[in-house]
Short mmCIF file of all heavy atoms in Angstrom, two decimals:
data_model
loop_
_atom_site.label_atom_id
_atom_site.label_comp_id
_atom_site.label_asym_id
_atom_site.label_seq_id
_atom_site.Cartn_x
_atom_site.Cartn_y
_atom_site.Cartn_z
N SER M 12 64.27 -23.02 -3.11
CA SER M 12 65.50 -23.64 -2.54
C SER M 12 66.73 -23.39 -3.38
O SER M 12 67.85 -23.20 -2.88
CB SER M 12 65.33 -25.13 -2.35
OG SER M 12 64.94 -25.75 -3.56
N PHE M 13 66.56 -23.35 -4.72
CA PHE M 13 67.69 -23.07 -5.62
C PHE M 13 68.23 -21.67 -5.41
O PHE M 13 69.41 -21.43 -5.31
CB PHE M 13 67.24 -23.25 -7.09
CG PHE M 13 68.28 -22.88 -8.08
CD1 PHE M 13 69.36 -23.68 -8.36
CD2 PHE M 13 68.14 -21.67 -8.80
CE1 PHE M 13 70.34 -23.33 -9.29
CE2 PHE M 13 69.11 -21.31 -9.72
CZ PHE M 13 70.20 -22.14 -9.97
N LEU M 14 67.31 -20.68 -5.32
CA LEU M 14 67.74 -19.31 -5.10
C LEU M 14 68.29 -19.08 -3.71
O LEU M 14 69.25 -18.31 -3.53
CB LEU M 14 66.55 -18.33 -5.34
CG LEU M 14 66.04 -18.24 -6.80
CD1 LEU M 14 64.79 -17.45 -6.92
CD2 LEU M 14 67.12 -17.69 -7.71
N LEU M 15 67.72 -19.80 -2.76
CA LEU M 15 68.22 -19.71 -1.38
C LEU M 15 69.66 -20.20 -1.30
O LEU M 15 70.53 -19.56 -0.68
CB LEU M 15 67.36 -20.56 -0.43
CG LEU M 15 67.84 -20.64 1.03
CD1 LEU M 15 67.87 -19.26 1.68
CD2 LEU M 15 66.98 -21.58 1.84
N LYS M 16 69.95 -21.30 -2.01
CA LYS M 16 71.31 -21.82 -2.04
C LYS M 16 72.29 -20.79 -2.62
O LYS M 16 73.39 -20.58 -2.11
CB LYS M 16 71.33 -23.11 -2.91
CG LYS M 16 72.65 -23.88 -2.88
CD LYS M 16 72.45 -25.26 -3.48
CE LYS M 16 73.77 -26.02 -3.56
NZ LYS M 16 74.61 -25.61 -4.72
N ALA M 17 71.86 -20.11 -3.71
CA ALA M 17 72.71 -19.08 -4.33
C ALA M 17 72.99 -17.92 -3.38
O ALA M 17 74.14 -17.41 -3.29
CB ALA M 17 72.02 -18.58 -5.59
N ILE M 18 71.96 -17.52 -2.63
CA ILE M 18 72.12 -16.43 -1.62
C ILE M 18 73.12 -16.87 -0.54
O ILE M 18 73.98 -16.12 -0.18
CB ILE M 18 70.77 -16.01 -1.04
CG1 ILE M 18 69.84 -15.44 -2.11
CG2 ILE M 18 70.97 -14.95 0.09
CD1 ILE M 18 68.37 -15.37 -1.66
N MET M 19 72.91 -18.07 -0.06
CA MET M 19 73.80 -18.63 1.02
C MET M 19 75.22 -18.68 0.56
O MET M 19 76.15 -18.36 1.32
CB MET M 19 73.32 -20.01 1.47
CG MET M 19 71.91 -20.06 2.08
SD MET M 19 71.89 -19.41 3.74
CE MET M 19 72.47 -20.84 4.67
N GLU M 20 75.47 -19.03 -0.70
CA GLU M 20 76.82 -19.11 -1.24
C GLU M 20 77.47 -17.73 -1.24
O GLU M 20 78.66 -17.57 -0.94
CB GLU M 20 76.79 -19.71 -2.64
CG GLU M 20 76.65 -21.24 -2.62
CD GLU M 20 76.41 -21.84 -3.96
OE1 GLU M 20 76.41 -21.10 -5.01
OE2 GLU M 20 76.23 -23.07 -4.05
N LYS M 21 76.69 -16.70 -1.62
CA LYS M 21 77.21 -15.32 -1.64
C LYS M 21 77.60 -14.89 -0.22
O LYS M 21 78.68 -14.31 0.01
CB LYS M 21 76.19 -14.36 -2.21
CG LYS M 21 75.97 -14.52 -3.71
CD LYS M 21 74.84 -13.61 -4.20
CE LYS M 21 74.56 -13.92 -5.71
NZ LYS M 21 73.52 -13.06 -6.25
N ILE M 22 76.71 -15.19 0.72
CA ILE M 22 76.94 -14.78 2.11
C ILE M 22 78.14 -15.48 2.72
O ILE M 22 78.93 -14.93 3.51
CB ILE M 22 75.66 -14.98 2.94
CG1 ILE M 22 74.62 -13.97 2.53
CG2 ILE M 22 75.93 -14.86 4.45
CD1 ILE M 22 73.25 -14.24 3.03
N SER M 23 78.32 -16.76 2.33
CA SER M 23 79.41 -17.59 2.92
C SER M 23 80.81 -17.01 2.58
O SER M 23 81.80 -17.43 3.19
CB SER M 23 79.32 -19.04 2.41
OG SER M 23 79.60 -19.11 1.05
N LEU M 24 80.91 -16.12 1.60
CA LEU M 24 82.22 -15.56 1.22
C LEU M 24 82.70 -14.55 2.23
O LEU M 24 83.85 -14.10 2.18
CB LEU M 24 82.08 -14.86 -0.16
CG LEU M 24 81.67 -15.77 -1.31
CD1 LEU M 24 81.43 -14.93 -2.58
CD2 LEU M 24 82.78 -16.82 -1.61
N PHE M 25 81.82 -14.11 3.18
CA PHE M 25 82.17 -13.08 4.12
C PHE M 25 82.09 -13.56 5.53
O PHE M 25 81.05 -13.94 6.02
CB PHE M 25 81.24 -11.83 3.91
CG PHE M 25 81.28 -11.36 2.47
CD1 PHE M 25 80.27 -11.75 1.58
CD2 PHE M 25 82.31 -10.54 2.02
CE1 PHE M 25 80.30 -11.34 0.25
CE2 PHE M 25 82.34 -10.11 0.71
CZ PHE M 25 81.35 -10.50 -0.20
N SER M 26 83.25 -13.51 6.24
CA SER M 26 83.32 -14.05 7.58
C SER M 26 82.56 -13.24 8.63
O SER M 26 82.22 -13.71 9.70
CB SER M 26 84.78 -14.17 8.02
OG SER M 26 85.39 -12.88 7.99
N ASP M 27 82.21 -11.96 8.24
CA ASP M 27 81.50 -11.16 9.23
C ASP M 27 79.96 -11.34 9.15
O ASP M 27 79.21 -10.71 9.90
CB ASP M 27 81.84 -9.69 9.06
CG ASP M 27 81.56 -9.14 7.66
OD1 ASP M 27 81.42 -9.95 6.77
OD2 ASP M 27 81.44 -7.91 7.52
N LEU M 28 79.51 -12.20 8.22
CA LEU M 28 78.07 -12.44 8.05
C LEU M 28 77.75 -13.87 8.54
O LEU M 28 78.43 -14.80 8.25
CB LEU M 28 77.65 -12.30 6.58
CG LEU M 28 77.91 -10.96 5.91
CD1 LEU M 28 77.40 -10.98 4.47
CD2 LEU M 28 77.29 -9.80 6.67
N GLU M 29 76.63 -13.95 9.28
CA GLU M 29 76.21 -15.27 9.77
C GLU M 29 74.68 -15.40 9.59
O GLU M 29 73.93 -14.54 10.00
CB GLU M 29 76.53 -15.39 11.27
CG GLU M 29 76.04 -16.60 11.95
CD GLU M 29 76.08 -16.48 13.47
OE1 GLU M 29 77.10 -16.00 14.04
OE2 GLU M 29 75.09 -16.84 14.11
N VAL M 30 74.31 -16.47 8.92
CA VAL M 30 72.84 -16.71 8.70
C VAL M 30 72.29 -17.44 9.93
O VAL M 30 72.68 -18.55 10.26
CB VAL M 30 72.59 -17.55 7.44
CG1 VAL M 30 71.07 -17.84 7.29
CG2 VAL M 30 73.08 -16.80 6.20
N LYS M 31 71.40 -16.76 10.63
CA LYS M 31 70.83 -17.33 11.85
C LYS M 31 69.77 -18.35 11.52
O LYS M 31 69.69 -19.42 12.14
CB LYS M 31 70.29 -16.21 12.71
CG LYS M 31 70.11 -16.68 14.17
CD LYS M 31 70.15 -15.51 15.12
CE LYS M 31 70.03 -16.07 16.52
NZ LYS M 31 69.66 -15.07 17.49
N PHE M 32 68.86 -17.99 10.58
CA PHE M 32 67.86 -18.97 10.18
C PHE M 32 67.27 -18.54 8.81
O PHE M 32 67.43 -17.39 8.38
CB PHE M 32 66.72 -19.12 11.21
CG PHE M 32 65.90 -17.87 11.43
CD1 PHE M 32 64.87 -17.55 10.58
CD2 PHE M 32 66.14 -17.05 12.55
CE1 PHE M 32 64.08 -16.37 10.78
CE2 PHE M 32 65.37 -15.95 12.78
CZ PHE M 32 64.37 -15.58 11.86
N CYS M 33 66.61 -19.51 8.14
CA CYS M 33 65.94 -19.24 6.90
C CYS M 33 64.47 -19.59 7.07
O CYS M 33 64.13 -20.53 7.79
CB CYS M 33 66.52 -20.07 5.77
SG CYS M 33 68.28 -19.78 5.55
N ALA M 34 63.58 -18.86 6.38
CA ALA M 34 62.15 -19.13 6.41
C ALA M 34 61.66 -19.18 4.96
O ALA M 34 62.22 -18.54 4.08
CB ALA M 34 61.43 -18.02 7.15
N THR M 35 60.63 -19.99 4.73
CA THR M 35 60.13 -20.15 3.35
C THR M 35 58.95 -19.26 3.04
O THR M 35 58.42 -19.25 1.93
CB THR M 35 59.73 -21.65 3.08
OG1 THR M 35 58.75 -22.02 4.09
CG2 THR M 35 60.92 -22.56 3.15
N ASN M 36 58.50 -18.51 4.04
CA ASN M 36 57.41 -17.51 3.79
C ASN M 36 57.38 -16.52 4.93
O ASN M 36 58.02 -16.70 5.96
CB ASN M 36 56.04 -18.21 3.63
CG ASN M 36 55.61 -19.03 4.86
OD1 ASN M 36 55.39 -18.45 5.90
ND2 ASN M 36 55.58 -20.33 4.75
N GLY M 37 56.58 -15.45 4.75
CA GLY M 37 56.52 -14.39 5.75
C GLY M 37 56.01 -14.84 7.11
O GLY M 37 56.54 -14.39 8.15
N GLN M 38 55.06 -15.74 7.12
CA GLN M 38 54.50 -16.23 8.38
C GLN M 38 55.54 -17.00 9.16
O GLN M 38 55.66 -16.86 10.36
CB GLN M 38 53.22 -17.08 8.11
CG GLN M 38 52.48 -17.47 9.38
CD GLN M 38 52.09 -16.23 10.25
OE1 GLN M 38 51.39 -15.39 9.77
NE2 GLN M 38 52.58 -16.18 11.47
N GLU M 39 56.26 -17.87 8.46
CA GLU M 39 57.29 -18.68 9.12
C GLU M 39 58.37 -17.76 9.69
O GLU M 39 58.89 -17.95 10.81
CB GLU M 39 57.92 -19.68 8.15
CG GLU M 39 58.88 -20.65 8.82
CD GLU M 39 59.60 -21.52 7.82
OE1 GLU M 39 59.12 -21.74 6.65
OE2 GLU M 39 60.67 -22.05 8.19
N LEU M 40 58.73 -16.68 8.96
CA LEU M 40 59.70 -15.72 9.40
C LEU M 40 59.25 -15.10 10.73
O LEU M 40 60.00 -15.02 11.67
CB LEU M 40 59.91 -14.65 8.36
CG LEU M 40 60.81 -13.46 8.79
CD1 LEU M 40 62.27 -13.88 8.69
CD2 LEU M 40 60.56 -12.25 7.89
N LEU M 41 57.99 -14.66 10.78
CA LEU M 41 57.44 -14.03 11.99
C LEU M 41 57.45 -15.00 13.20
O LEU M 41 57.74 -14.62 14.32
CB LEU M 41 56.05 -13.50 11.76
CG LEU M 41 55.94 -12.30 10.80
CD1 LEU M 41 54.51 -12.00 10.44
CD2 LEU M 41 56.59 -11.07 11.41
N ASP M 42 57.10 -16.27 12.85
CA ASP M 42 57.13 -17.32 13.94
C ASP M 42 58.52 -17.51 14.45
O ASP M 42 58.70 -17.63 15.69
CB ASP M 42 56.58 -18.66 13.37
CG ASP M 42 55.11 -18.58 13.02
OD1 ASP M 42 54.42 -17.64 13.48
OD2 ASP M 42 54.64 -19.48 12.25
N ARG M 43 59.52 -17.49 13.60
CA ARG M 43 60.92 -17.67 14.05
C ARG M 43 61.40 -16.48 14.87
O ARG M 43 62.10 -16.60 15.85
CB ARG M 43 61.84 -17.88 12.84
CG ARG M 43 61.58 -19.14 12.03
CD ARG M 43 61.89 -20.42 12.85
NE ARG M 43 63.26 -20.53 13.29
CZ ARG M 43 64.22 -21.16 12.57
NH1 ARG M 43 63.92 -21.70 11.39
NH2 ARG M 43 65.46 -21.23 13.03
N LEU M 44 61.00 -15.28 14.42
CA LEU M 44 61.39 -14.05 15.18
C LEU M 44 60.74 -14.04 16.56
O LEU M 44 61.27 -13.48 17.53
CB LEU M 44 60.97 -12.80 14.40
CG LEU M 44 61.82 -12.48 13.15
CD1 LEU M 44 61.19 -11.32 12.35
CD2 LEU M 44 63.28 -12.18 13.51
N GLU M 45 59.53 -14.62 16.64
CA GLU M 45 58.79 -14.69 17.92
C GLU M 45 59.64 -15.50 18.92
O GLU M 45 59.70 -15.17 20.12
CB GLU M 45 57.46 -15.40 17.66
CG GLU M 45 56.42 -15.25 18.79
CD GLU M 45 55.78 -13.87 18.84
OE1 GLU M 45 55.40 -13.33 17.79
OE2 GLU M 45 55.72 -13.34 19.96
N GLN M 46 60.30 -16.55 18.43
CA GLN M 46 61.15 -17.39 19.27
C GLN M 46 62.45 -16.70 19.61
O GLN M 46 62.96 -16.82 20.74
CB GLN M 46 61.46 -18.72 18.55
CG GLN M 46 60.20 -19.57 18.32
CD GLN M 46 60.45 -20.67 17.28
OE1 GLN M 46 61.60 -20.98 16.97
NE2 GLN M 46 59.40 -21.21 16.74
N ASP M 47 63.04 -16.01 18.64
CA ASP M 47 64.32 -15.33 18.89
C ASP M 47 64.51 -14.19 17.82
O ASP M 47 64.70 -14.43 16.68
CB ASP M 47 65.47 -16.30 18.72
CG ASP M 47 66.84 -15.71 19.03
OD1 ASP M 47 66.89 -14.48 19.34
OD2 ASP M 47 67.85 -16.41 18.92
N SER M 48 64.37 -12.95 18.33
CA SER M 48 64.47 -11.80 17.41
C SER M 48 65.86 -11.15 17.42
O SER M 48 65.99 -10.04 16.99
CB SER M 48 63.39 -10.77 17.78
OG SER M 48 63.64 -10.28 19.10
N ASN M 49 66.82 -11.88 17.89
CA ASN M 49 68.23 -11.39 17.91
C ASN M 49 68.83 -11.46 16.51
O ASN M 49 69.76 -12.25 16.23
CB ASN M 49 69.06 -12.12 18.93
CG ASN M 49 70.48 -11.53 19.02
OD1 ASN M 49 70.70 -10.40 18.66
ND2 ASN M 49 71.42 -12.34 19.57
N VAL M 50 68.29 -10.63 15.60
CA VAL M 50 68.72 -10.63 14.21
C VAL M 50 69.00 -9.17 13.85
O VAL M 50 68.23 -8.31 14.26
CB VAL M 50 67.60 -11.20 13.29
CG1 VAL M 50 67.91 -10.97 11.82
CG2 VAL M 50 67.39 -12.69 13.56
N HIS M 51 70.11 -8.92 13.10
CA HIS M 51 70.38 -7.56 12.68
C HIS M 51 69.66 -7.13 11.41
O HIS M 51 69.25 -6.01 11.26
CB HIS M 51 71.88 -7.40 12.49
CG HIS M 51 72.71 -7.64 13.72
ND1 HIS M 51 73.55 -8.66 13.88
CD2 HIS M 51 72.73 -6.94 14.91
CE1 HIS M 51 74.12 -8.62 15.10
NE2 HIS M 51 73.64 -7.57 15.73
N LEU M 52 69.57 -8.11 10.47
CA LEU M 52 69.05 -7.74 9.16
C LEU M 52 68.39 -8.96 8.50
O LEU M 52 68.84 -10.09 8.68
CB LEU M 52 70.15 -7.22 8.28
CG LEU M 52 69.82 -6.65 6.90
CD1 LEU M 52 70.62 -5.39 6.58
CD2 LEU M 52 70.07 -7.68 5.82
N ILE M 53 67.30 -8.68 7.77
CA ILE M 53 66.59 -9.75 7.05
C ILE M 53 66.71 -9.48 5.54
O ILE M 53 66.51 -8.36 5.07
CB ILE M 53 65.11 -9.78 7.43
CG1 ILE M 53 64.92 -10.06 8.91
CG2 ILE M 53 64.31 -10.81 6.59
CD1 ILE M 53 63.51 -9.80 9.47
N LEU M 54 67.06 -10.54 4.80
CA LEU M 54 66.99 -10.48 3.32
C LEU M 54 65.66 -11.10 2.96
O LEU M 54 65.38 -12.24 3.22
CB LEU M 54 68.18 -11.30 2.72
CG LEU M 54 69.58 -10.73 3.01
CD1 LEU M 54 70.62 -11.69 2.49
CD2 LEU M 54 69.76 -9.35 2.38
N MET M 55 64.81 -10.31 2.30
CA MET M 55 63.41 -10.68 2.11
C MET M 55 63.03 -10.83 0.63
O MET M 55 63.15 -9.93 -0.14
CB MET M 55 62.54 -9.60 2.76
CG MET M 55 61.05 -9.91 2.80
SD MET M 55 60.57 -10.83 4.24
CE MET M 55 60.60 -9.57 5.50
N ASP M 56 62.51 -12.02 0.31
CA ASP M 56 61.93 -12.26 -1.02
C ASP M 56 60.55 -11.58 -1.03
O ASP M 56 60.00 -11.25 0.01
CB ASP M 56 61.82 -13.77 -1.22
CG ASP M 56 61.30 -14.12 -2.64
OD1 ASP M 56 61.49 -13.31 -3.57
OD2 ASP M 56 60.71 -15.19 -2.76
N ILE M 57 60.01 -11.37 -2.21
CA ILE M 57 58.66 -10.77 -2.30
C ILE M 57 57.56 -11.85 -2.53
O ILE M 57 56.65 -12.01 -1.70
CB ILE M 57 58.58 -9.70 -3.40
CG1 ILE M 57 59.38 -8.46 -2.94
CG2 ILE M 57 57.11 -9.27 -3.66
CD1 ILE M 57 59.35 -7.30 -3.90
N GLU M 58 57.66 -12.59 -3.61
CA GLU M 58 56.62 -13.54 -3.90
C GLU M 58 56.84 -14.82 -3.10
O GLU M 58 57.71 -15.64 -3.42
CB GLU M 58 56.61 -13.87 -5.42
CG GLU M 58 56.23 -12.72 -6.29
CD GLU M 58 54.75 -12.34 -6.24
OE1 GLU M 58 53.96 -13.13 -5.70
OE2 GLU M 58 54.38 -11.28 -6.72
N MET M 59 56.06 -15.01 -2.04
CA MET M 59 56.14 -16.20 -1.21
C MET M 59 54.75 -16.65 -0.84
O MET M 59 53.83 -15.81 -0.76
CB MET M 59 56.95 -15.95 0.09
CG MET M 59 58.35 -15.57 -0.12
SD MET M 59 59.28 -15.38 1.46
CE MET M 59 58.60 -13.85 2.02
N PRO M 60 54.54 -17.95 -0.57
CA PRO M 60 53.19 -18.42 -0.15
C PRO M 60 52.88 -17.97 1.25
O PRO M 60 53.72 -17.45 1.98
CB PRO M 60 53.36 -19.94 -0.22
CG PRO M 60 54.83 -20.20 -0.07
CD PRO M 60 55.52 -19.02 -0.67
N LYS M 61 51.62 -18.12 1.61
CA LYS M 61 51.07 -17.82 2.98
C LYS M 61 51.15 -16.32 3.30
O LYS M 61 50.12 -15.71 3.60
CB LYS M 61 51.76 -18.62 4.08
CG LYS M 61 51.44 -20.11 3.98
CD LYS M 61 51.99 -20.89 5.16
CE LYS M 61 51.73 -22.38 4.97
NZ LYS M 61 52.35 -23.16 6.01
N MET M 62 52.33 -15.71 3.29
CA MET M 62 52.47 -14.29 3.50
C MET M 62 53.62 -13.78 2.68
O MET M 62 54.75 -14.27 2.78
CB MET M 62 52.72 -13.98 4.98
CG MET M 62 52.78 -12.49 5.26
SD MET M 62 53.34 -12.10 6.92
CE MET M 62 52.02 -12.70 7.92
N ASN M 63 53.34 -12.81 1.80
CA ASN M 63 54.41 -12.29 0.90
C ASN M 63 55.37 -11.38 1.63
O ASN M 63 55.10 -11.00 2.78
CB ASN M 63 53.85 -11.68 -0.37
CG ASN M 63 53.14 -10.38 -0.10
OD1 ASN M 63 53.57 -9.56 0.68
ND2 ASN M 63 52.02 -10.16 -0.80
N GLY M 64 56.46 -11.06 0.95
CA GLY M 64 57.53 -10.28 1.60
C GLY M 64 57.10 -8.85 2.00
O GLY M 64 57.60 -8.33 2.97
N ILE M 65 56.24 -8.25 1.19
CA ILE M 65 55.81 -6.87 1.49
C ILE M 65 54.97 -6.84 2.79
O ILE M 65 55.16 -5.98 3.65
CB ILE M 65 55.10 -6.22 0.29
CG1 ILE M 65 56.14 -6.02 -0.80
CG2 ILE M 65 54.45 -4.88 0.69
CD1 ILE M 65 55.59 -5.61 -2.17
N GLU M 66 54.04 -7.82 2.91
CA GLU M 66 53.24 -7.88 4.14
C GLU M 66 54.15 -8.17 5.33
O GLU M 66 53.98 -7.61 6.41
CB GLU M 66 52.24 -9.05 4.00
CG GLU M 66 51.08 -8.79 3.06
CD GLU M 66 50.23 -10.05 2.88
OE1 GLU M 66 49.26 -10.18 3.70
OE2 GLU M 66 50.49 -10.85 2.02
#
Side-chain angles (χ1 to χ4, degrees):
S12 56
F13 174 75
L14 293 174
L15 176 62
K16 187 168 176 281
I18 296 164
M19 295 285 278
E20 282 171 2
K21 289 176 185 180
I22 290 166
S23 69
L24 300 172
F25 305 97
S26 59
D27 58 340
L28 302 181
E29 176 195 313
V30 176
K31 198 157 183 195
F32 65 81
C33 301
T35 55
N36 60 67
Q38 188 55 59
E39 188 186 338
L40 174 78
L41 291 170
D42 292 344
R43 295 295 298 268
L44 288 172
E45 196 75 44
Q46 294 163 19
D47 183 0
S48 62
N49 184 19
V50 170
H51 297 113
L52 185 140
I53 298 166
L54 295 174
M55 186 87 76
D56 184 26
I57 289 184
E58 295 287 347
M59 295 184 289
K61 294 186 183 174
M62 183 190 292
N63 69 40
I65 292 170
E66 288 175 89

